Amino acid sequence: MTLVATFAQWVEGARPRTLPNAIAPVIAGTGGAAWLHAACWWKALLALVVAVAMIIGVNYANDYSDGIRGTDDVRAGPLRLVGSKLAAPRAVLTAAVVSLGIAAVAGVVLAWFSAPWLIAVGALCIAGAWLYTGGSKPYGYLGLGEVAVFVFFGLVAVLGTQYTQALRVDWVGLALAVAMGSLSSAVLVANNLRDIPTDKESGKITLAVRLGDARTRLLYQALLVVAFALTLVLMLATPWCAVGLVALPLAVRAAGPVRKGLGGKELIPVLRDTGLTMLVWAVAVALALAFG
């Protein structure tokens, strides 16, 4: 039987709700570069291509690896192409490779015009994307997924964006990176909180599985608190960074289902709202740094 997913299903399989995890760090990092009077629009655009292609590649790679392992046979979350038997594993693997290839090409160009040694950092990012759920010992199955997201979509994405434009980083960039890493990790924490029952059954030992339901809910809320505490720290650079608090109502809405003990599909909106929180916070603070 030939498996042919529709275009809409391929788009859903790319998990567009995770795109803020890629877009927001680039915006924040560009704000950090603007703070150093060194923002460069075309380098920011290249960084955005790298980040978006990378996260789409990660999502397809996870779809493929989890699908062939049978981890996604029973899911409460968004559509998975291989697990739902809508697309052949090879087709999803090809989509992952193409996406990561686009990220690699854009990353090489960006590094070449900034600092060639960043090519090595990009290679580590691609390896991290594949080994999250791929390979014989995927680190996503060992409870290290949140750490990787914090590093790659927080520290590397934000500081890398700032560095490629300004050719240096500073404490403002670091504060932005930690805030973005915390919010991005919160998205994964919410995702893994929803999947605790099915992950346990399939042998996927995420951090949420290790911590258990109650402590995972506390971790999610703590990550949000860290991000907004850093908003106050960034006000030391310019008081205008207080506009980042405009994202607070979104964060409160995102945390609602987590605080109330909801589970399964009722946690899916948490991913969307946490992503929106990231995006609004990044735009607000970046503008504050650029014009403050």
Side-chain angles (χ1 to χ4, degrees), residues 9 14 74 96 104 127 131 168 175 218 222 262 265 269:
Q9 288 169 333
V74 179
L131 295 174
R168 65 188 179 100
L218 289 175
L262 302 183
K265 291 184 177 181

Side-chain angles (χ1 to χ4, degrees), residues 56-97:
I56 291 174
V58 168
N59 289 336
Y60 280 138
N62 292 348
D63 192 311
Y64 167 78
S65 297
D66 284 343
I68 62 173
R69 283 190 171 90
T71 307
D72 287 339
D73 288 351
V74 179
R75 268 181 71 83
L79 172 76
R80 288 297 185 100
L81 295 165
V82 177
S84 300
K85 296 181 172 55
L86 292 169
R90 183 174 292 275
V92 177
L93 176 59
T94 299
V97 171

Side-chain angles (χ1 to χ4, degrees), residues 172-218:
V172 169
L174 182 59
L176 292 168
V178 173
M180 284 290 98
S182 298
L183 290 171
S184 197
S185 295
V187 174
L188 184 58
V189 168
N191 182 78
N192 290 342
L193 171 64
R194 182 199 64 220
D195 291 340
I196 285 177
T198 53
D199 284 344
K200 274 184 178 179
E201 187 176 337
S202 63
K204 185 176 182 179
I205 310 302
T206 63
L207 180 60
V209 171
R210 291 183 183 277
L211 292 177
D213 186 277
R215 285 188 292 180
T216 300
R217 292 177 191 274
L218 289 175

Side-chain angles (χ1 to χ4, degrees), residues 9 35 41 64 75 87 108 126 152 169 174 194 204 230 236 261 271 286:
Q9 288 169 333
W35 173 250
W41 71 267
Y64 167 78
R75 268 181 71 83
V108 167
I126 290 175
F152 292 125
V169 297
L174 182 59
R194 182 199 64 220
K204 185 176 182 179
L230 285 167
L236 297 175
L271 279 68

Side-chain angles (χ1 to χ4, degrees), residues 124-150:
L124 287 174
C125 291
I126 290 175
W130 174 253
L131 295 174
Y132 174 52
T133 55
S136 58
K137 291 185 178 180
Y139 63 84
Y141 283 52
L142 301 174
L144 298 174
E146 285 79 2
V147 175
V149 165
F150 181 86

